[in-house]
Amino acid sequence: MPSPTPADPARPAADLALDPVLAARLSRDAAGLVAAVVQQHDTREVLMVGWMDDEALRRTLTSGRVTFWSRSRQEYWRKGDTSGHAQYVKAVSLDCDGDALLVEVDQVGAACHTGTRTCFEAGGPLPAVVGHAPQPGTSTRGER
């Protein structure tokens, strides 16, 4: 579980926690994290998936830049601080179950640590059967 960050004496204590009403709406995994799907705000391109705890979400909502919790390094990281490939927040939404966030951003440079625009370029497509929606007036069982 992420450890709390030290309080900034220049900021009021009330500003250091995620809004309790919002926090109550989150459905976290066993590690206290929520998935954050990051999408380019104007093209709707899905860039990456990261993880946030309450503090990472608070930082994201209040700073204009995206902050994640690194599960491998066990620390907070603000996207772009070392690479220069920053994500500037345009909107944040919570899904109906409270277990995923959609973070719409203006991405500067590559979103993926591999240097590609999205993390899904490096992983590549998987073989999948392509489905087709039924035509109007037909049933999903092929009956009329």
Side-chain angles (χ1 to χ4, degrees):
M1 182 76 152
S3 58
T5 56
D8 178 354
R11 295 179 58 190
D15 288 345
L16 295 177
L18 184 63
D19 175 355
V21 174
L22 173 55
R25 294 177 60 198
L26 297 175
S27 179
R28 301 160 192 82
D29 69 6
L33 303 173
V34 174
V37 177
V38 181
Q39 181 182 54
Q40 176 64 33
H41 75 101
D42 51 357
T43 65
R44 300 307 205 199
E45 178 180 34
V46 176
L47 302 171
M48 61 175 286
V49 176
W51 296 92
M52 293 184 182
D53 66 358
D54 288 14
E55 176 60 15
L57 179 55
R58 184 198 66 78
R59 292 182 189 190
T60 298
L61 293 172
T62 61
S63 71
R65 296 271 306 276
V66 181
T67 298
F68 298 102
W69 174 256
S70 171
R71 297 177 300 166
S72 59
R73 295 189 310 267
Q74 295 290 294
E75 65 184 12
Y76 294 103
W77 58 282
R78 190 169 73 164
K79 186 71 172 164
D81 279 355
T82 56
S83 67
H85 300 162
Q87 294 174 337
Y88 295 93
V89 177
K90 297 299 180 186
V92 180
S93 303
L94 182 62
D95 82 337
C96 60
D97 296 322
D99 62 358
L101 298 161
L102 175 62
V103 184
E104 297 174 56
V105 303
D106 188 8
Q107 175 71 47
V108 175
C112 187
H113 71 280
T114 65
T116 58
R117 171 78 178 156
T118 81
C119 292
F120 298 96
E121 290 174 46
L126 300 176
V129 172
V130 176
H132 300 281
Q135 296 298 317
T138 63
S139 101
T140 57
R141 295 182 192 169
E143 302 167 358
R144 290 203 144 223

